[in-house]
Amino acid sequence: MSAQPDHAPVTPYAPAPGAPAELLAQLRADQRAERWVPAFEREWAAALEESRRTFSLAALYEVIQVWQARAASAPAVDAFLASGRDDSGFVDLAEIRRRRR
């Protein structure tokens, strides 16, 4: 018999205890801080409320993981935009949806 409840989801990703504070400091130091910090704080507050309601840390972990990915990919996005590469070949899903109506 397992000591773990069978209904509790196993979260594959568990950030370090200081990850939220480190991430927030990183976001505050970024050139996008004016937009990113309030957005992170809103998502964090919503995840915290969900965590209180559900007794699960999964939403908090997800917010950290998503924002870490955004921060990590930002330099590549900046480099692409600065390169002047033509991105007109990408599919615009919004345009496809409008055409279907």
Side-chain angles (χ1 to χ4, degrees):
M1 179 170 243
S2 172
Q4 296 292 326
D6 61 352
H7 64 279
V10 176
T11 305
Y13 169 79
E22 291 171 12
L23 179 58
L24 187 55
Q26 182 181 359
L27 295 176
R28 285 182 175 144
D30 193 275
Q31 64 185 9
R32 301 163 195 83
E34 188 176 305
R35 292 184 322 262
W36 278 16
V37 170
F40 172 78
E41 288 174 340
R42 278 190 306 272
E43 289 181 27
W44 183 258
L48 188 58
E49 189 56 39
E50 181 178 337
S51 176
R52 288 179 181 142
R53 187 176 45 78
T54 63
F55 298 101
S56 171
L57 298 175
L60 295 169
Y61 290 174
E62 183 179 356
V63 169
I64 293 170
Q65 191 171 21
V66 165
W67 279 95
Q68 284 174 334
R70 283 182 184 146
S73 64
V77 172
D78 291 342
F80 177 79
L81 294 173
S83 72
R85 294 185 183 155
D86 180 18
D87 64 351
S88 63
F90 289 101
V91 176
D92 183 356
L93 294 177
E95 180 64 28
I96 291 172
R97 289 183 189 115
R98 282 191 293 268
R99 289 181 185 180
R100 288 185 180 172
R101 292 181 186 170

